[in-house]
Amino acid sequence: MIRAEAADLPDDGTLRTPDRLRRRAGRLLSHLATRSDRLITEGLAQADARKWHYAVLASLHEYGPASQAELSRRSGIYRSDMVGVLNELAERDLVERAPGPDDRRRNVVTISARGRRLRRLDQVLDDLHDRLLAPLSRTERDQFVQLLTRLLDHHSRGS
């Protein structure tokens, strides 16, 4: 539990967050994002993976080979961090890097046969998302994801 969450609970465990704070979407999203990030990070760690590993592998699996810069744009990983992520994936034989055919200074990253086996990580993430969204019905979960996607798409266009 983070310090801010602990402050919401008195010694008897009852919630004491002011209602006007509980109605603020930004605050709720922030708290949920913190809990979600912790759940995903810890769950993937048990599978010897990180969320950035999954983001790169999913991008390569769905869209094919890419430069490091393109992978950074696709996955949201900072370009300065991408080399480290790719080094970890290459050490595990999940990706392969080769000089680009048009520019030998640029690496093209390809998912390996071993890296294409994303089903195990998909299942881990499915289980973690089920835990995160446990209070919601299947229909509510789908609607929640659609609404979050719409909000994110809207705000991504405006940035």
Side-chain angles (χ1 to χ4, degrees):
M1 182 177 298
I2 62 174
R3 203 171 310 166
E5 292 169 334
D8 288 343
L9 297 174
D11 291 339
D12 65 2
T14 59
L15 193 61
R16 68 174 188 199
T17 303
D19 189 52
R20 62 176 23 119
L21 291 179
R22 291 183 55 80
R23 291 188 313 237
R24 301 292 176 200
R27 182 177 187 278
L28 295 171
L29 286 169
S30 177
H31 280 277
L32 185 59
T34 299
R35 287 178 180 249
S36 173
D37 191 55
R38 187 177 329 124
L39 179 70
I40 300 301
T41 298
E42 290 171 1
L44 284 173
Q46 291 177 3
D48 193 30
R50 296 181 343 158
K51 62 185 173 183
W52 301 124
H53 295 163
Y54 184 81
V56 168
L57 292 173
S59 174
L60 290 169
H61 190 265
E62 188 166 335
Y63 297 112
S67 68
Q68 291 176 191
E70 178 64 22
L71 281 172
S72 177
R73 285 188 293 276
R74 287 182 192 171
S75 64
I77 299 170
Y78 290 116
R79 291 175 86 170
S80 59
D81 296 331
M82 184 57 74
V83 172
V85 172
L86 291 175
N87 286 343
E88 291 173 7
L89 291 170
E91 287 170 8
R92 296 168 186 218
D93 297 320
L94 299 172
V95 299
E96 298 163 355
R97 287 185 276 200
D102 301 331
D103 183 351
R104 311 266 316 147
R105 295 169 298 169
R106 182 181 83 143
N107 279 327
V108 173
V109 182
T110 306
I111 193 169
S112 69
R114 185 172 180 212
R116 276 192 252 292
R117 295 187 217 132
L118 286 173
R119 283 188 185 21
R120 180 177 69 94
L121 290 181
D122 283 334
Q123 186 58 57
V124 168
L125 286 169
D126 288 347
D127 293 345
L128 293 168
H129 286 121
D130 284 346
R131 285 179 52 197
L132 178 69
L133 303 175
L136 305 178
S137 70
R138 178 65 51 205
T139 301
E140 289 171 325
R141 291 176 191 197
D142 292 343
Q143 183 180 24
F144 182 65
V145 169
Q146 288 172 358
L147 291 170
L148 288 174
T149 301
R150 193 163 91 200
L151 284 167
L152 186 58
D153 288 349
H154 171 79
H155 291 287
S156 294
R157 282 190 304 270
S159 323

